[in-house]
Amino acid sequence: MASYAKRLWLEEDLGDDYRWSYRVSEVLFSGRSEYQEVDLVDTPTWGKVLLLDGKMQSTEADEEVYHELLVHPTLLHHPNPKRVFIMGGGEGATAREVLRHRSVEQVVMVDIDKVVTDFCSQHLARNQAAFRDPRLTLINDDARVQLEAAEDASFDVIIADLADPLDGGPCYQLYTQEFYRNVVLRKLAPGGVFVTQSGPAGFLSCREVFASIHATVRSVFPAVLAYAQHIPSFCDTWGFNIGFQDPQQAPVLSPEEMDARISERISNGPLGFLDGTTFAGLRQLNKMVRAALEGPDVEVYTLDNARFIHGAGVKSAGS
Amino acid sequence: MASYAKRLWLEEDLGDDYRWSYRVSEVLFSGRSEYQEVDLVDTPTWGKVLLLDGKMQSTEADEEVYHELLVHPTLLHHPNPKRVFIMGGGEGATAREVLRHRSVEQVVMVDIDKVVTDFCSQHLARNQAAFRDPRLTLINDDARVQLEAAEDASFDVIIADLADPLDGGPCYQLYTQEFYRNVVLRKLAPGGVFVTQSGPAGFLSCREVFASIHATVRSVFPAVLAYAQHIPSFCDTWGFNIGFQDPQQAPVLSPEEMDARISERISNGPLGFLDGTTFAGLRQLNKMVRAALEGPDVEVYTLDNARFIHGAGVKSAGS
Amino acid sequence: MASYAKRLWLEEDLGDDYRWSYRVSEVLFSGRSEYQEVDLVDTPTWGKVLLLDGKMQSTEADEEVYHELLVHPTLLHHPNPKRVFIMGGGEGATAREVLRHRSVEQVVMVDIDKVVTDFCSQHLARNQAAFRDPRLTLINDDARVQLEAAEDASFDVIIADLADPLDGGPCYQLYTQEFYRNVVLRKLAPGGVFVTQSGPAGFLSCREVFASIHATVRSVFPAVLAYAQHIPSFCDTWGFNIGFQDPQQAPVLSPEEMDARISERISNGPLGFLDGTTFAGLRQLNKMVRAALEGPDVEVYTLDNARFIHGAGVKSAGS
Amino acid sequence: MASYAKRLWLEEDLGDDYRWSYRVSEVLFSGRSEYQEVDLVDTPTWGKVLLLDGKMQSTEADEEVYHELLVHPTLLHHPNPKRVFIMGGGEGATAREVLRHRSVEQVVMVDIDKVVTDFCSQHLARNQAAFRDPRLTLINDDARVQLEAAEDASFDVIIADLADPLDGGPCYQLYTQEFYRNVVLRKLAPGGVFVTQSGPAGFLSCREVFASIHATVRSVFPAVLAYAQHIPSFCDTWGFNIGFQDPQQAPVLSPEEMDARISERISNGPLGFLDGTTFAGLRQLNKMVRAALEGPDVEVYTLDNARFIHGAGVKSAGS
């Protein structure tokens, strides 16, 4: 066993001249869709790891942190979130966290790849209950098409759990000013809140996409809140941006208010990672990242001019 | 050139089943002391990298962030730091940051390895001025011996820029309760402040040494302040602990106070990474790390019972 | 697909400071016995690869060459081989090649690991017919126990298709003078011929085990014939030693005689790799290897003094 | 030291999905010419290794075998070699072996890269005497230009120690029918012999270039002799082709004749690797390789149609 395990490695490029490798002890399940390969492997370092096209999507060791941070700050900032739309999120963990909110009555999750959602609902034990929750409507389609087709003002919260805006990838349109203005903002109910995963947000990496996603959200929403946390299995600090439809309602919950809402609203005990103090830390970005966000040269993503990041080392959270 | 560079890689184990590699474009200088090998290599990912025994010590890309965080919060919390003792720090960057404080009159830096200090004073352009600053006294000796030999109450600030408390390594005694109580605390002048680099402090890694170093500092000093920041070239979030001799003077500067002191006290322009807001973020540790620090099972390092971490993936910041 | 395949690599140590890696496009089947893990993976470089404990056992690309060389020179040098005993060989390819000889009436194959033989009979298409051939008796047991229990003088040919005599491994006794003298030689019928895979036989590697296996066979058998061929997937030249019970019958078939016997005796067309000229080349070892075999310092393996090779980069052909 | 050495690796692609790595204990010397980078590194596996553009050129462990095989069979088949022309060979080892022949009066070695020849004459201890031998004329120029400029019929032996005919590389013209017919054959004195390194010649790799180089030599020279040997540091069996101007004189020395000529003609003791028996083995190619050489589809390299191999894993012996 030991000797076997020493020999099979997953290697991931983190940059052109920079990569990491982690040992795979077992390939648990493999599948393939028309869009991508799907694998679940076991590793000594990260526990079970979900791979899409051989790339780390989430790990048993730290997916909870990523998903808590994607979901809860947004829902906690909304006064009473009932209807939630998830773009992507096929793994099921985003829905799992959303469904912990007692106020939530309906979750619509739209992920294009049925093979992924079937695979995850079958093989990811943590997320099985979410897939079977009667409040969840799972649709395998293009998230944009489904959101455009929804009635205006129909969602309290919209969550973008999508792959980074890779050049040529299918997700880039979902990061543009046009999409935010013409679709997302319009589908939010009054007081609605939007959040998007926003790529690497370290002081060395935040200019790749994080700064532009932030600028794009800010160009459309009356108020925006950025925060970031180091996620070990992404090998970087990861960023998020919340857009508020109503600037009055908006930032920022005090640590005490956040703690109070967590205990009132969230079922299944307190959260593992997030609380008021944690969030107070994460939303006070460091000087280098703030300089990047505030720089005069940050580009807003539009359908025309979006510069998109390329290649490796990028979380593909959604599609 | 491109093809050459593709072929020489530095590989570093980050754990038993987990490693990373980065391409080396050129081996610039190599030396060897009785303690270790010293190399300066150039890399596309990190710029120039200083290696001790083939292990990343600091990189052009992010050493500034590490050294700002090691030095400035501590000196800024002291009302008027004049005399500073650095344990380790052979690279010279810690001294460089200390010497930016206009109040500083004397810096004693004790690093055991003359080959390293000679190498760095010669080859690291950023630190050359620090090595030649008349306020700096550089001694190549055991830091403990020199600190013990110093007059009591002689330093306003003591900085431990040492290798992690590796099992069998030379530095573990410098992380014990006995050393803090019998040496460090005694050599601090009234109102003195101590800081130690404290190893990995991510939510997955903080139980390795960070929690114990924190507990050990807290067991000796009347007040303690912990903070952490993701350092890309260490592939983890990195922790620091400040110990205050005088609890009255102690935590915590407001962001505005910190910003004011930075502009009053520090020469050569504002800092690149640190300001009041940055520090306010970093000292509000997340819930998982706080739980680790506050857990009932955290061991205080003593000469007798210190459990020390092993092996790879560990910053050897000092010796 | 391409991106996935780029990321999963099998890494094999070829020495302490030396390794290779080949990309795995798919893990086809995995199993585990009480002795070892068994996997069949697909690779762009070698086609399908059988792994025991994660180590390359044989590849679609070149197993034919290894198995032709293990089997045919020995059977062709026997005047009329009818009864054949295979030690190890669980993969089935050795039996497959033996069964191509029209004269063969009975093959006894003894491999300790039923999981391996079941796995290979099910998943290795090339060898399925051999596993089902009525002339084959497959026994899952210790090869030594079974050979000792056989009637004396019962086999025309005995083939050792075993793991290298690794230190501590289960196979080392099967490479000793005692075993050859007390068991192998005794079980051979008059005119009988023995062959053993004999490990790396390159000019840099032949002193590891090849020279000693040669010396050991020579110390027991009246005549011995060594030959070697570069096998790409073993990343070395590989050696074989034939021991002849009867020196009269013995070496060496001329190329013409070998070609004639191949066409008379072997079913399913001519061989892919071996013919008389090929063998004439392979049995004329180079000067460095001959010097190693003839050196005064070569150790004969005995139960007492056998020095065994360690570790990695070694063909585990059999058990 | 040990820990350092564990971390710096030279990685070489052996194919698209297949690579190896060996540990570098020290980078001894580095240089750069207008053509390529030149490095001498020390490794535990191969001893000192010469790298051109980061690619293994020759190693202390086995360069002797390659160079003996390139040089001696050709000179030994010539009745009395006095004047020798070396294309490439900048490392100096080819000249070193040629100069061991007592009959040799003049060696002209033409390698384009003065930085390489300076570097090797300075740093490769084994070859220093050759570089200083008064019989050697070293010219840094294009080998083709110099050979074309030579008087007709001026050399007894011409040796091509060149990089493989890589697509786009500078050497491909030196492997064409036109070059052999119009230049090489014409510059050979009566009874002259030509040899060229001929790339990978394993049963899996011989169709890459070896078969075509063989066919091209055979299409011009009245007689041709091919042979091959596994060279560990090239990770393959390596091929050579000798072309004889005079079919009468030609193949093949019996082992006894070759041994006799070695002891008569070669200074500095017997050869380490080559003798008559060795060569008798190497020139009897295996059935698969013979089939490749004799196949109807083998292409002769011409200026027009040469298909050239691409990429990695290829000896660049000369330029």
Side-chain angles (χ1 to χ4, degrees):
Chain A
M1 175 70 203
S3 66
Y4 173 78
K6 275 290 175 209
R7 295 204 170 91
L8 194 62
W9 292 82
L10 256 161
E11 184 175 296
E12 188 163 11
D13 287 339
L14 299 169
D16 280 347
D17 304 294
Y18 170 40
R19 66 184 184 217
W20 70 359
S21 308
Y22 49 95
R23 189 160 70 80
V24 172
S25 43
E26 200 171 351
V27 177
L28 298 170
F29 304 102
S30 294
R32 187 175 305 182
S33 75
E34 61 178 305
Y35 304 103
Q36 54 204 337
E37 292 192 56
V38 191
D39 296 271
L40 188 67
V41 301
D42 205 358
T43 72
T45 306
W46 307 109
K48 286 174 188 146
V49 176
L50 176 69
L51 305 169
L52 294 186
D53 278 343
K55 232 167 112 186
M56 218 183 236
Q57 288 308 300
S58 78
T59 79
E60 208 176 355
D62 62 10
E63 65 87 2
E64 176 191 3
V65 172
Y66 170 79
H67 288 106
E68 284 194 6
L69 289 176
L70 176 65
V71 168
H72 298 303
T74 302
L75 271 77
L76 292 169
H77 275 85
H78 189 282
N80 186 24
K82 295 186 177 172
R83 303 193 66 221
V84 178
F85 189 94
I86 302 170
M87 297 190 275
E91 178 184 345
T94 299
R96 178 194 70 206
E97 295 300 320
V98 169
L99 290 163
R100 293 176 71 181
H101 284 256
R102 295 194 185 92
S103 64
V104 166
E105 296 171 359
Q106 184 186 16
V107 179
V108 179
M109 166 178 157
V110 184
D111 192 286
I112 200 157
D113 197 337
K114 182 169 172 17
V115 171
V116 169
T117 52
D118 285 353
F119 184 97
C120 295
S121 71
Q122 184 179 357
H123 295 305
L124 302 184
R126 287 180 182 177
N127 302 347
Q128 283 172 348
F131 278 105
R132 288 194 293 254
D133 192 303
R135 294 174 292 169
L136 178 73
T137 304
L138 167 58
I139 301 171
N140 292 118
D141 193 3
D142 183 316
R144 186 166 60 111
V145 167
Q146 288 289 324
L147 191 58
E148 286 174 348
E151 208 173 325
D152 281 359
S154 43
F155 296 103
D156 299 312
V157 172
I158 297 175
I159 298 174
D161 187 12
L162 300 161
D164 273 343
L166 289 167
D167 194 0
C171 289
Y172 70 95
Q173 296 184 41
L174 307 184
Y175 289 91
T176 57
Q177 195 181 45
E178 290 87 344
F179 180 68
Y180 291 161
R181 180 187 298 131
N182 301 334
V183 185
V184 177
L185 197 58
R186 195 173 290 174
K187 303 303 175 184
L188 282 177
V193 191
F194 166 68
V195 67
T196 180
Q197 82 83 16
S198 302
F203 58 85
L204 296 179
S205 59
C206 62
R207 291 172 197 271
E208 292 171 15
V209 296
F210 178 64
S212 285
I213 295 175
H214 179 78
T216 309
V217 174
R218 196 173 49 188
S219 76
V220 171
F221 287 83
V224 59
L225 176 57
Y227 55 103
Q229 163 64 28
H230 173 228
I231 304 288
S233 71
F234 300 173
C235 203
D236 209 340
T237 289
W238 217 253
F240 304 86
N241 282 288
I242 300 179
F244 295 88
Q245 202 203 43
D246 175 358
Q248 301 309 322
Q249 155 217 11
V252 184
L253 290 180
S254 71
E256 295 71 27
E257 288 167 321
M258 185 172 274
D259 288 341
R261 289 190 176 184
I262 287 172
S263 54
E264 285 160 25
R265 296 183 180 187
I266 294 181
S267 61
N268 300 324
L271 299 173
F273 182 80
L274 182 74
D275 65 4
T277 301
T278 302
F279 195 70
L282 304 189
R283 65 179 164 73
Q284 301 199 64
L285 300 172
N286 65 62
K287 187 178 174 182
M288 283 185 182
V289 171
R290 294 196 328 266
L293 296 192
E294 291 154 14
D297 56 331
V298 181
E299 195 167 11
V300 168
Y301 286 150
T302 63
L303 284 177
D304 284 345
N305 74 347
R307 266 184 311 123
F308 299 113
I309 65 166
H310 293 248
V314 176
K315 165 75 177 175
S316 300
S319 73
Chain B
M1 176 67 207
S3 66
Y4 173 80
K6 275 291 174 207
R7 294 202 171 93
L8 193 62
W9 292 81
L10 256 160
E11 182 176 297
E12 187 163 12
D13 287 338
L14 299 169
D16 281 347
D17 305 294
Y18 171 40
R19 65 184 185 218
W20 70 0
S21 307
Y22 49 94
R23 190 159 71 80
V24 172
S25 44
E26 200 171 351
V27 177
L28 298 170
F29 304 103
S30 294
R32 188 176 305 183
S33 76
E34 60 178 307
Y35 305 103
Q36 54 204 335
E37 292 192 57
V38 192
D39 297 273
L40 189 66
V41 302
D42 205 358
T43 72
T45 307
W46 308 108
K48 285 175 190 148
V49 176
L50 176 69
L51 304 169
L52 294 186
D53 280 343
K55 233 167 109 184
M56 218 182 236
Q57 289 307 301
S58 77
T59 78
E60 208 177 357
D62 62 10
E63 67 85 6
E64 175 190 5
V65 172
Y66 170 80
H67 288 106
E68 285 195 6
L69 289 176
L70 176 65
V71 167
H72 298 303
T74 300
L75 270 78
L76 292 170
H77 275 84
H78 189 283
N80 187 23
K82 295 185 176 173
R83 304 193 65 221
V84 178
F85 189 94
I86 301 170
M87 298 191 275
E91 177 183 346
T94 298
R96 177 194 70 206
E97 295 300 319
V98 169
L99 290 162
R100 293 175 71 179
H101 285 256
R102 296 193 183 92
S103 63
V104 167
E105 296 171 359
Q106 183 185 16
V107 179
V108 179
M109 166 176 155
V110 185
D111 191 287
I112 200 158
D113 197 337
K114 182 168 171 20
V115 172
V116 169
T117 52
D118 284 355
F119 185 97
C120 294
S121 72
Q122 185 179 355
H123 295 305
L124 302 184
R126 287 182 182 175
N127 303 345
Q128 283 172 347
F131 278 104
R132 289 193 294 254
D133 193 300
R135 296 173 289 168
L136 178 72
T137 304
L138 167 58
I139 302 171
N140 292 118
D141 193 2
D142 183 317
R144 187 166 59 112
V145 168
Q146 288 290 323
L147 190 58
E148 284 173 349
E151 206 174 326
D152 281 0
S154 43
F155 296 103
D156 299 312
V157 172
I158 297 176
I159 299 174
D161 186 12
L162 300 161
D164 273 342
L166 288 168
D167 194 1
C171 289
Y172 71 96
Q173 296 183 41
L174 307 183
Y175 288 91
T176 59
Q177 194 181 46
E178 289 87 345
F179 180 68
Y180 290 161
R181 180 187 296 132
N182 301 333
V183 184
V184 176
L185 197 57
R186 196 173 289 174
K187 302 304 174 185
L188 283 176
V193 191
F194 167 67
V195 67
T196 181
Q197 81 82 15
S198 302
F203 57 84
L204 295 179
S205 60
C206 62
R207 292 172 196 271
E208 291 171 15
V209 297
F210 179 63
S212 284
I213 296 174
H214 179 79
T216 308
V217 175
R218 196 172 50 188
S219 75
V220 170
F221 287 83
V224 59
L225 176 58
Y227 55 103
Q229 163 64 28
H230 174 228
I231 305 288
S233 72
F234 300 174
C235 202
D236 209 342
T237 288
W238 217 253
F240 304 86
N241 282 286
I242 300 178
F244 295 89
Q245 201 202 44
D246 176 357
Q248 300 310 322
Q249 156 218 7
V252 184
L253 291 180
S254 72
E256 295 70 26
E257 289 168 320
M258 186 171 274
D259 287 341
R261 290 190 176 185
I262 287 171
S263 55
E264 286 160 23
R265 298 183 179 187
I266 295 181
S267 62
N268 300 325
L271 299 174
F273 182 80
L274 183 74
D275 64 5
T277 299
T278 302
F279 195 68
L282 304 188
R283 66 179 162 75
Q284 302 199 63
L285 301 172
N286 65 61
K287 185 177 175 183
M288 283 184 182
V289 171
R290 295 196 330 265
L293 296 192
E294 292 154 14
D297 56 331
V298 181
E299 196 167 11
V300 168
Y301 286 151
T302 65
L303 284 176
D304 285 345
N305 75 346
R307 265 183 314 121
F308 299 113
I309 65 164
H310 294 249
V314 175
K315 164 72 177 173
S316 300
S319 74
Chain C
M1 175 68 203
S3 66
Y4 172 79
K6 274 291 174 206
R7 296 205 169 92
L8 192 63
W9 292 81
L10 256 159
E11 183 175 298
E12 188 163 12
D13 286 339
L14 299 169
D16 280 347
D17 304 295
Y18 171 41
R19 65 182 185 218
W20 70 0
S21 307
Y22 48 94
R23 190 160 70 80
V24 172
S25 43
E26 200 172 352
V27 177
L28 298 170
F29 304 103
S30 293
R32 187 177 305 183
S33 76
E34 63 178 303
Y35 304 103
Q36 54 204 334
E37 292 192 57
V38 193
D39 297 272
L40 189 66
V41 302
D42 205 358
T43 72
T45 307
W46 308 109
K48 285 174 190 148
V49 175
L50 177 69
L51 304 170
L52 294 185
D53 278 343
K55 233 169 109 186
M56 219 183 234
Q57 289 306 299
S58 78
T59 78
E60 207 176 357
D62 63 8
E63 66 86 4
E64 174 191 6
V65 172
Y66 170 80
H67 288 105
E68 285 194 6
L69 288 176
L70 176 64
V71 167
H72 299 303
T74 301
L75 271 78
L76 293 169
H77 276 84
H78 189 283
N80 187 23
K82 294 186 176 172
R83 302 193 66 221
V84 178
F85 189 94
I86 300 171
M87 297 191 276
E91 178 183 344
T94 299
R96 177 194 71 205
E97 294 300 319
V98 169
L99 290 163
R100 294 176 70 180
H101 284 256
R102 297 193 184 92
S103 63
V104 167
E105 296 171 358
Q106 184 186 16
V107 179
V108 179
M109 167 177 156
V110 184
D111 190 286
I112 200 158
D113 197 337
K114 182 169 172 14
V115 171
V116 168
T117 53
D118 284 354
F119 184 97
C120 295
S121 71
Q122 185 179 355
H123 296 304
L124 302 184
R126 287 181 182 177
N127 302 346
Q128 283 173 347
F131 277 104
R132 288 194 293 254
D133 193 301
R135 294 173 292 169
L136 178 73
T137 303
L138 167 58
I139 300 172
N140 292 116
D141 193 3
D142 183 318
R144 186 166 61 110
V145 168
Q146 288 290 324
L147 191 58
E148 284 174 350
E151 208 174 324
D152 280 1
S154 43
F155 297 102
D156 299 313
V157 171
I158 296 175
I159 298 174
D161 186 12
L162 299 160
D164 272 342
L166 288 168
D167 193 1
C171 289
Y172 71 96
Q173 297 185 41
L174 307 183
Y175 288 91
T176 59
Q177 196 182 45
E178 290 87 344
F179 180 68
Y180 291 162
R181 181 188 295 130
N182 301 335
V183 184
V184 177
L185 197 58
R186 196 172 288 174
K187 303 305 175 184
L188 282 177
V193 191
F194 166 68
V195 67
T196 182
Q197 82 81 15
S198 301
F203 57 86
L204 295 178
S205 59
C206 62
R207 291 172 196 271
E208 291 171 15
V209 296
F210 179 62
S212 284
I213 295 174
H214 179 78
T216 309
V217 174
R218 195 172 52 187
S219 76
V220 170
F221 287 83
V224 59
L225 176 58
Y227 55 103
Q229 162 64 28
H230 174 227
I231 305 288
S233 71
F234 300 174
C235 202
D236 209 340
T237 289
W238 218 252
F240 304 87
N241 282 287
I242 301 178
F244 295 88
Q245 200 203 46
D246 176 357
Q248 301 309 322
Q249 158 219 5
V252 184
L253 292 179
S254 71
E256 295 72 25
E257 288 167 321
M258 185 172 274
D259 287 340
R261 289 190 176 184
I262 287 171
S263 55
E264 285 160 23
R265 294 183 180 187
I266 294 181
S267 61
N268 301 324
L271 299 173
F273 182 80
L274 183 74
D275 66 3
T277 299
T278 301
F279 195 69
L282 304 189
R283 68 179 163 72
Q284 302 199 65
L285 301 171
N286 64 63
K287 187 178 174 182
M288 282 186 182
V289 171
R290 296 198 326 269
L293 297 191
E294 290 154 15
D297 56 331
V298 180
E299 196 168 10
V300 168
Y301 287 150
T302 65
L303 284 177
D304 285 346
N305 75 347
R307 264 185 314 122
F308 299 114
I309 66 165
H310 293 249
V314 176
K315 164 73 177 175
S316 300
S319 72
Chain D
M1 173 70 204
S3 66
Y4 172 78
K6 275 290 176 210
R7 295 204 171 92
L8 193 62
W9 292 82
L10 257 160
E11 184 176 296
E12 187 163 13
D13 287 338
L14 299 169
D16 280 347
D17 304 294
Y18 170 40
R19 65 185 185 216
W20 70 358
S21 307
Y22 48 96
R23 190 160 69 80
V24 172
S25 44
E26 202 172 349
V27 177
L28 299 170
F29 304 102
S30 294
R32 188 176 305 182
S33 75
E34 61 177 305
Y35 304 104
Q36 54 204 336
E37 291 191 57
V38 192
D39 296 272
L40 188 67
V41 301
D42 206 358
T43 71
T45 307
W46 308 108
K48 285 173 189 147
V49 175
L50 177 69
L51 304 169
L52 294 186
D53 279 343
K55 232 166 113 183
M56 219 184 235
Q57 288 308 299
S58 77
T59 79
E60 209 177 356
D62 63 9
E63 66 85 3
E64 176 190 3
V65 171
Y66 170 80
H67 288 106
E68 284 195 6
L69 290 175
L70 176 64
V71 168
H72 298 303
T74 301
L75 271 78
L76 292 170
H77 276 85
H78 189 282
N80 186 24
K82 293 186 177 172
R83 304 193 66 220
V84 178
F85 189 95
I86 301 171
M87 297 190 275
E91 177 184 346
T94 299
R96 178 193 71 205
E97 295 300 320
V98 168
L99 290 163
R100 294 176 70 180
H101 286 255
R102 297 194 183 90
S103 63
V104 167
E105 296 171 359
Q106 184 186 15
V107 179
V108 179
M109 166 176 156
V110 184
D111 190 286
I112 200 158
D113 197 337
K114 182 168 170 20
V115 171
V116 169
T117 53
D118 285 354
F119 184 97
C120 295
S121 71
Q122 184 179 356
H123 295 305
L124 302 184
R126 288 180 181 178
N127 303 346
Q128 283 172 349
F131 277 103
R132 289 193 293 254
D133 193 303
R135 296 173 290 168
L136 178 72
T137 303
L138 167 58
I139 300 171
N140 292 118
D141 193 3
D142 183 317
R144 185 166 61 110
V145 167
Q146 288 290 324
L147 190 58
E148 285 173 349
E151 207 173 325
D152 282 359
S154 43
F155 297 103
D156 299 312
V157 171
I158 297 175
I159 298 175
D161 186 12
L162 299 162
D164 273 342
L166 289 168
D167 194 0
C171 288
Y172 71 96
Q173 297 183 42
L174 306 183
Y175 289 92
T176 57
Q177 196 181 43
E178 289 87 344
F179 180 68
Y180 291 161
R181 180 188 296 130
N182 302 334
V183 185
V184 177
L185 197 58
R186 196 173 289 175
K187 303 304 175 183
L188 283 177
V193 191
F194 166 68
V195 67
T196 182
Q197 83 82 16
S198 302
F203 57 85
L204 295 179
S205 58
C206 62
R207 291 172 196 272
E208 292 169 16
V209 295
F210 179 62
S212 284
I213 296 175
H214 179 79
T216 309
V217 175
R218 196 172 50 187
S219 76
V220 170
F221 288 83
V224 59
L225 176 58
Y227 55 102
Q229 163 64 28
H230 174 227
I231 304 289
S233 72
F234 299 173
C235 203
D236 209 340
T237 289
W238 218 253
F240 304 87
N241 283 287
I242 301 178
F244 295 89
Q245 201 203 45
D246 175 357
Q248 301 308 322
Q249 155 218 11
V252 184
L253 290 179
S254 72
E256 296 72 26
E257 289 168 320
M258 184 172 275
D259 287 340
R261 289 190 175 184
I262 287 171
S263 55
E264 285 160 24
R265 297 183 179 187
I266 294 182
S267 62
N268 301 323
L271 299 173
F273 182 79
L274 183 74
D275 66 3
T277 300
T278 301
F279 195 70
L282 304 189
R283 65 178 164 74
Q284 302 198 63
L285 301 172
N286 64 62
K287 186 178 173 181
M288 283 185 183
V289 172
R290 296 197 327 266
L293 297 191
E294 291 154 14
D297 56 331
V298 180
E299 194 168 10
V300 168
Y301 286 150
T302 64
L303 283 177
D304 285 346
N305 74 347
R307 265 184 313 123
F308 299 114
I309 66 167
H310 294 249
V314 175
K315 164 76 176 174
S316 300
S319 71

